[in-house]
Amino acid sequence: MPALQPQPELFTLEQYEGLPENTRVEVFDGVIYDMGSPSQCHQTILTELLVSLRNYIRSKAGGCSVFPAPFDVKLNDTPLTIVQPDLMIVCDKDKLDGNRCNGAPDFIIEIVSFGNPSDDYIRKLYYYKNYGVREYWIVDPQRKSVTVNYFEGNLINVPYTFDSVIKVNIYEDLYINFSDISRLLDI
């Protein structure tokens, strides 16, 4: 019989809140993971998407709010799971406490970093689907693709290219033209 391995101590909310102000980490099931700094391409995509989403919500006088990273989302208390999506839309104001979103946002966009694509395609897909995110987009600058995961009803996992106009499924009439965004990129 193999010897039992010591179990790592799980990271707590108190420990998370005690980290230095500019520490970029996420916590999945009590295990902490460092996050790298975003690239210029990443930030260009983030800015364009943020402005498109914010302008749409304002034009509709909608009750939802859009937040860019870094803004915490606590998906679970025990074991602790805290993420910082690149972009999110939160429609339930009761989930916002002034410091973070407590519970799943309605819509999340992650822009794939060159160093850790499996985080967005595998780990975050699993957590976002299982904790109640309605729609999750994976924007991959290296592949020049956008994968739309719409979790309401049947799972829709649809790949698009950066030449596409893509519907935001949580809204009836919001479309993002990625060809406009891709023209701004040096990739």
Side-chain angles (χ1 to χ4, degrees):
M1 174 189 255
L4 293 175
Q5 298 296 317
Q7 296 299 311
E9 185 176 322
L10 297 181
F11 209 69
T12 66
L13 182 59
E14 293 76 26
Q15 290 171 312
Y16 182 83
E17 290 175 339
L19 292 170
E21 182 73 27
N22 292 323
T23 303
R24 292 188 40 103
V25 298
E26 292 179 310
V27 182
F28 294 92
D29 289 329
V31 179
I32 190 167
Y33 295 86
D34 288 322
M35 298 172 62
S37 295
S39 67
Q40 178 181 337
C41 176
H42 180 285
Q43 293 302 87
T44 299
I45 294 169
L46 177 86
T47 301
E48 294 302 312
L49 289 169
L50 173 65
V51 169
S52 295
L53 295 170
R54 185 205 63 206
N55 288 347
Y56 173 84
I57 291 169
R58 280 187 181 171
S59 74
K60 299 293 184 175
C64 302
S65 298
V66 61
F67 298 98
F71 188 70
D72 290 344
V73 174
K74 184 173 65 167
L75 294 174
N76 197 32
D77 286 308
T78 308
L80 183 64
T81 298
I82 293 183
V83 294
Q84 290 185 358
D86 290 317
L87 277 172
M88 71 178 114
I89 294 175
V90 179
C91 298
D92 181 353
K93 301 291 187 201
D94 291 336
K95 291 182 178 180
L96 301 171
D97 67 7
N99 294 315
R100 69 178 58 92
C101 175
N102 296 288
D106 294 87
F107 179 75
I108 289 178
I109 295 176
E110 293 285 5
I111 302 165
V112 176
S113 298
F114 296 114
N116 61 348
S118 65
D119 276 0
D120 298 319
Y121 283 104
I122 299 169
R123 184 192 334 252
K124 290 183 180 179
L125 175 66
Y126 169 82
Y127 282 89
Y128 294 161
K129 179 178 189 267
N130 289 309
Y131 279 99
V133 173
R134 294 170 58 199
E135 185 168 355
Y136 169 44
W137 287 18
I138 304 169
V139 177
D140 192 330
Q142 191 168 11
R143 294 181 181 172
K144 297 183 182 178
S145 68
V146 179
T147 303
V148 174
N149 299 281
Y150 185 55
F151 302 125
E152 292 193 335
N154 294 325
L155 173 68
I156 298 172
N157 182 278
V158 182
Y160 294 91
T161 66
F162 272 20
D163 296 328
S164 302
V165 176
I166 305 171
K167 184 180 187 316
V168 177
N169 293 290
I170 67 167
Y171 293 109
E172 288 184 23
D173 59 349
L174 175 56
Y175 295 85
I176 304 290
N177 186 341
F178 260 85
S179 61
D180 290 345
I181 296 172
S182 67
R183 283 192 273 272
L184 302 171
L185 304 175
D186 293 327
I187 55 175

